[in-house]
Amino acid sequence: MTEFQARAAAEWLLSAAPDAAECRRQWGRGPHGMALLPAGVKWDVLILPGALGHPTLDVLSRCADRPGPVLSGAGGARLGFFVPPGTASRWLGTGVRAVGRGAWIVVPHPGRAAGVVSWLVRPDGSGTLNDPGLLELAMHEAVAMEGRFGGW
């Protein structure tokens, strides 16, 4: 990621922050600075267990020109797919945690080294998000692949 791309991605993330200056300060603390940003403003996040999230991202990467932002947490045990605001309130899938308005997400700076939470797909600064319908289809395909190959 170039410096320009990282700056554009950071500005897009900051556009959701109630206090952009405080978010910048949080990012600046330590080499893996993290900030809390509200869900439901610019995005919601669908959190999948890693065993489903990783193959879902593989499928999604083949189907979409470029997937929207995806976070990895807890050593890859969970993946958070950024989707349009309002998706969390309509999501009915089991085993997926839907995070929307009223919740906060730990977000690393898009241009820095990985920490406990890291970007698998960094935001591009344009506001591109994962399409919930395409994400659901990718999840179904990932589950079907598990059946074909006897598990991950």
Side-chain angles (χ1 to χ4, degrees):
M1 173 172 264
T2 69
E3 185 177 330
F4 175 78
Q5 291 168 320
R7 191 173 320 127
E11 290 303 318
W12 177 72
L13 291 166
L14 288 168
S15 70
D19 183 344
E22 176 58 25
C23 182
R24 281 189 182 93
R25 276 191 293 279
Q26 290 175 9
W27 276 340
R29 293 184 187 132
H32 305 297
M34 304 285 170
L36 285 174
L37 292 175
V41 176
K42 296 282 185 174
W43 59 78
D44 285 355
V45 180
L46 298 179
I47 301 173
L48 283 63
L52 175 59
H54 289 285
T56 296
L57 180 56
D58 289 343
V59 172
L60 192 60
S61 295
R62 291 192 307 268
C63 296
D65 291 335
R66 182 190 185 280
V70 180
L71 284 173
S72 174
R78 290 184 295 278
L79 272 64
F81 292 80
F82 282 49
V83 292
T87 301
S89 64
R90 297 184 304 272
W91 191 262
L92 300 175
T94 58
V96 175
R97 182 171 169 226
V99 180
R101 187 166 294 282
W104 294 76
I105 298 293
V106 174
V107 179
H109 188 283
R112 298 216 177 96
V116 175
V117 176
S118 61
W119 292 106
L120 291 179
V121 179
R122 296 173 195 266
D124 63 7
S126 73
T128 300
L129 298 168
N130 291 293
D131 176 271
L134 189 56
L135 179 59
E136 183 178 10
L137 290 173
M139 289 170 58
H140 287 290
E141 180 65 23
V143 169
M145 287 170 46
E146 176 189 14
R148 276 195 299 247
F149 300 114
W152 291 296

